[in-house]
C-alpha cells in the first residue's frame, strides 16, 4: 500500500486550500471543499474494508451510496491543511443506507467533516445528475464578491449580467451564469437543499452576504471558476461608485459567446 500523503488528491487539496487562504478567501475556519475520488485510486493507498468509525450525516444521500469523498474538516483552518492533512482532512465513503459516512482516513483528532456537508453532498447529487464528470464542490468567502453582495441586487439575472459585463471572458467561463440565494442560516439541510436546487441550473451559487459555492470537474477548473467570478466582482467594486463611460454591451456578450461556441443563458441577455 502506498503512502496516502503522496497521493495526487491529497497534494491537490493541500495546494488548493493554501492558495485560497493566501488569496484571503478563507479566514479562520471559513470555507470547505469536497472532492469525489475514484475508488480504484483510493485503493492504492487505503484498505477499503477498514472503516475507522462511522459518522451520521443527518440527511439522506442514497444516490451517493458507495461514493468516496475527500472532505475538509469542521472547525479546521485552510491555512493549516498542508502542514497537517491527517487532522484537517478526511476520506469518507457514503454507506448503502445513505445516512452514514464511513471514515476511511483522516479526522485523526476525532473530528468530522465540514458543517456544510449537506450543501456539499446535495450539490454533488445535483451536479452529477447534470454532468457525470462533476467531482468538486468548493465553498469560500471571496472578499470582493462578498462586498458586492452588500451593494448589488441579489437576483440571478441582474447579478450575472453585472459580472458578465466586468471581464470579457466571464460569459465564456460561466455561460450558465450565477445563482443567488438570499441570506440564510448556514450549516443546515435547508441551505443545502436551496443550494442544490440552484445547482441544477448553475455551477456557481452565491450565498447572499456569506460567500460562494462552485462546482466543477476538477480542482483547477472549480478554483478557476471562483477566481473568475471574484475577479469580475473586484472590477465591479473598483468601478461601481464611478461614472461608467464604457461598457461591454449585450451585443458584445453574444459575439464573444458565439465565437467561443458556449451555450450561454439567452434569457439573461436583453
Ligand atoms: O466552514 O465557511 O459556511 C466554515 C464556513 C461555513
Ligand atoms: Zn462559509
Amino acid at each position: 500500500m502506498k503512502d496516502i500523503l503522496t497521493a495526487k488528491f491529497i497534494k491537490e487539496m493541500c495546494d488548493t486550500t493554501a492558495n485560497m487562504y493566501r488569496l484571503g478567501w478563507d479566514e479562520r475556519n471559513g470555507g470547505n471543499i469536497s472532492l469525489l475520488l475514484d475508488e480504484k485510486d483510493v485503493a492504492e493507498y487505503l484498505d477499503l474494508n477498514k472503516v475507522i468509525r462511522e459518522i451520521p450525516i443527518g440527511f439522506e444521500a442514497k444516490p451517493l451510496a458507495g461514493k468516496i469523498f475527500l472532505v475538509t474538516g469542521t472547525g479546521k483552518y485552510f491555512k493549516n491543511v498542508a502542514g497537517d492533512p491527517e487532522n484537517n482532512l478526511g476520506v469518507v465513503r457514503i454507506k448503502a443506507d445513505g445516512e452514514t459516512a464511513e471514515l476511511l482516513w483522516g479526522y485523526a483528532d476525532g473530528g468530522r467533516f465540514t458543517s456544510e456537508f449537506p450543501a456539499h453532498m446535495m450539490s454533488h447529487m445535483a451536479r452529477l445528475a447534470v454532468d457525470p464528470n462533476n467531482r468538486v464542490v468548493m465553498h469560500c468567502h471571496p472578499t470582493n464578491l462578498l462586498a458586492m453582495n452588500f451593494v448589488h441586487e441579489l437576483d440571478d439575472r441582474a447579478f450575472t449580467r453585472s459580472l458578465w459585463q466586468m471581464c470579457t471572458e466571464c460569459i465564456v467561463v460561466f455561460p450558465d451564469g450565477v445563482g443567488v440565494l438570499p441570506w440564510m442560516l448556514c450549516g443546515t439541510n435547508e441551505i443545502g437543499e436551496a443550494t442544490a436546487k440552484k445547482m441544477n441550473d448553475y455551477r456557481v451559487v452565491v450565498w447572499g452576504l456569506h460567500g460562494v459555492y462552485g462546482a466543477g470537474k476538477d480542482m483547477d477548473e472549480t478554483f478557476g471558476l471562483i477566481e473568475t467570478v471574484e475577479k469580475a466582482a473586484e472590477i465591479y467594486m473598483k468601478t461601481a461608485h464611478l461614472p461608467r463611460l464604457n461598457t461591454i454591451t449585450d451585443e458584445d456578450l453574444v459575439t464573444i459567446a458565439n465565437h467561443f461556441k458556449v451555450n450561454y443563458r439567452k434569457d439573461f441577455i436583453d
Side-chain angles (χ1 to χ4, degrees), residues 2-66:
K2 295 197 268 181
D3 176 4
I4 194 170
L5 295 179
T6 65
K8 182 170 171 260
F9 54 82
I10 296 286
K11 189 174 180 323
E12 252 185 340
M13 185 63 94
C14 290
D15 289 348
T16 305
T17 46
N19 195 11
M20 292 168 79
Y21 170 69
R22 286 200 193 90
L23 286 165
W25 301 353
D26 298 277
E27 72 290 341
R28 199 174 182 273
N29 64 322
N32 26 76
I33 303 178
S34 58
L35 167 64
L36 173 59
L37 301 174
D38 187 359
E39 190 184 288
K40 281 201 299 294
D41 239 12
V42 184
E44 289 185 33
Y45 304 95
L46 299 175
D47 177 354
L48 298 180
N49 296 315
K50 206 175 141 222
V51 175
I52 299 170
R53 60 190 151 97
E54 293 194 342
I55 309 174
I57 63 179
F59 58 94
E60 205 252 284
K62 253 201 190 123
L64 299 176

Side-chain angles (χ1 to χ4, degrees), residues 123-177:
S123 293
H124 277 289
M125 290 190 248
R127 287 314 303 174
L128 283 168
V130 179
D131 173 5
N133 291 320
N134 190 93
R135 302 193 84 83
V136 179
V137 173
M138 190 178 277
H139 168 62
C140 57
H141 307 156
T143 313
N144 293 285
L145 184 62
L146 197 40
M148 186 173 163
N149 275 224
F150 291 84
V151 298
H152 195 286
E153 186 188 344
L154 296 178
D155 167 78
D156 298 359
R157 188 177 190 276
F159 207 91
T160 297
R161 287 178 55 77
S162 291
L163 293 174
W164 278 355
Q165 288 166 1
M166 292 300 116
C167 301
T168 292
E169 293 194 343
C170 276
I171 195 168
V172 182
V173 178
F174 48 100
D176 33 10

Side-chain angles (χ1 to χ4, degrees), residues 29-32 114-116 139 141 186 207 210:
N29 64 322
N32 26 76
T114 170
S115 58
E116 303 298 358
H139 168 62
H141 307 156
C186 55
W207 276 13
H210 178 139

